[in-house]
Amino acid sequence: MAAFAEGTPCWVDVSLPDLAAGRRFYGELFGWTFGGDSDEAYGRCTKAFSDGKRVAGLVAKRDGRMPTVWGVYFATADAVALSRRITDAGGRLVREPIAVGRSGVTALAADPAGAVFGIWQGDEDTGFEKKGLPGSFCWTEVYTRDKERVDPFYETVFGFHGTDVPDDSVDFRMWSPAGTEPGPDSAVGGRSVITDAFPAEMPGHFLSYFSVADCDGTTATVVRLGGRITAPPFDIEYGRMAVVVDNQGASFAVLAEPRSAPRAAAESLSESGWRGLPEPGPASEP
């Protein structure tokens, strides 16, 4: 599998207190199968597969004080050089670059407003083998209260081209990788603003989306499995989406039939409000 372009989301994983419960929840929700457990030296982690292809990781929390959270990783050809760009641009390193066996090199960072993300320099393991299809990752966006610092940070660090949504009622920027024509067709992620519609205590964070065939059916399954809904299903320009929390507290979004980046989500969430608080925190290696 070809390596991912610089700055492209290449992996997601969820840190959980109970891996067995996580396998049951996501196995039934997305039809995932599991295997490829990591060496204990790198933490207890199991790979999730959809149609036999890698789609995500489930990681056992080493400390109960750590957040239960989905984390996203951005691809890089040089984790050390990218880490320097992150700190030079006003971010900070949560964890310095570290080799994960022969799989690759990972690091954790936070943007100037505190949202945590991972970086991944793939070697034998480049990341996703399936994405953008039902049962796999399809989109991510950072929610922030400080777009004046966050926008130039990501555009400097990853070379993103930012495209603002041409709608005065919503403050949303799409990111396209360097070397592409900026716009919805090339966007790999986005930036939304935490407005007054959200809880005052909500910190900066990334929200990752998974493609599903049936948004309403998926949210019903989430509830049946012990999770909850924070933003009920609603229609956006690119499909039908919802924001949910799994049965251990990790937030994520589901999107049915995405045709492109779900930029209209920010406007709809701001109008409807948010009935839940995603926990911020570190991602963990693929």
Side-chain angles (χ1 to χ4, degrees):
M1 182 177 179
F4 288 81
E6 187 81 13
T8 303
C10 65
W11 191 246
V12 286
D13 60 20
V14 61
S15 297
L16 298 171
D18 188 335
L19 277 189
R23 292 188 190 100
R24 291 192 296 270
F25 181 91
Y26 289 102
E28 185 163 352
L29 184 67
F30 292 138
W32 287 350
T33 57
F34 302 94
D37 290 359
S38 67
D39 190 297
E40 284 288 341
Y42 306 111
R44 292 176 55 222
C45 174
T46 184
K47 298 285 177 64
F49 298 84
S50 176
D51 297 325
K53 298 178 180 179
R54 286 193 308 269
V55 291
L58 275 60
V59 183
K61 297 200 300 185
R62 299 183 183 185
D63 186 329
R65 294 170 295 181
M66 295 175 63
T68 299
V69 64
W70 274 100
V72 63
Y73 294 78
F74 295 93
T76 182
D78 188 335
V80 172
L82 179 56
S83 295
R84 286 197 295 267
R85 294 203 301 273
I86 287 169
T87 55
D88 288 346
R92 64 182 176 88
L93 292 181
V94 177
R95 185 177 63 205
E96 299 281 344
I98 182 174
V100 184
R102 292 182 294 181
S103 295
V105 178
T106 188
L108 285 178
D111 70 23
V116 174
F117 60 93
I119 62 175
W120 180 250
Q121 177 188 325
D123 187 1
E124 292 184 355
D125 184 345
T126 56
F128 298 125
E129 293 178 319
K130 173 183 176 181
K131 67 174 184 175
L133 297 171
S136 65
F137 169 90
C138 64
W139 180 256
T140 193
E141 59 202 26
V142 65
Y143 281 77
T144 186
R145 298 182 187 277
D146 193 351
K147 68 175 184 177
E148 287 76 16
R149 288 197 298 163
V150 164
D151 286 353
F153 171 81
Y154 288 103
E155 289 159 23
T156 298
V157 167
F158 292 116
F160 288 149
H161 297 292
T163 304
D164 292 324
V165 173
D167 183 343
D168 292 338
S169 67
V170 58
D171 193 340
F172 191 84
R173 174 168 285 195
M174 294 173 289
W175 293 326
S176 298
T180 64
E181 182 67 26
D185 292 341
S186 61
V188 296
R191 183 271 298 149
S192 188
V193 172
I194 301 175
T195 68
D196 292 340
F198 297 87
E201 66 272 22
M202 177 178 281
H205 64 279
F206 274 87
L207 177 68
S208 289
Y209 291 62
F210 294 90
S211 176
V212 296
D214 178 355
C215 179
D216 294 74
T218 299
T219 56
T221 301
V222 167
V223 173
R224 178 172 60 80
L225 295 174
R228 58 188 174 90
I229 301 170
T230 58
F234 58 92
D235 294 321
I236 60 173
E237 183 178 351
Y238 300 96
R240 187 164 175 81
M241 69 162 288
V243 183
V244 298
V245 179
D246 72 15
N247 61 344
Q248 299 187 62
S251 296
F252 59 99
V254 294
L255 178 66
E257 299 182 357
R259 296 186 295 279
S260 185
R263 67 172 188 258
E267 179 179 12
S268 297
L269 285 174
S270 295
E271 290 176 349
S272 63
W274 190 281
R275 296 197 296 274
L277 178 62
E279 295 183 71
S284 46
E285 58 270 3

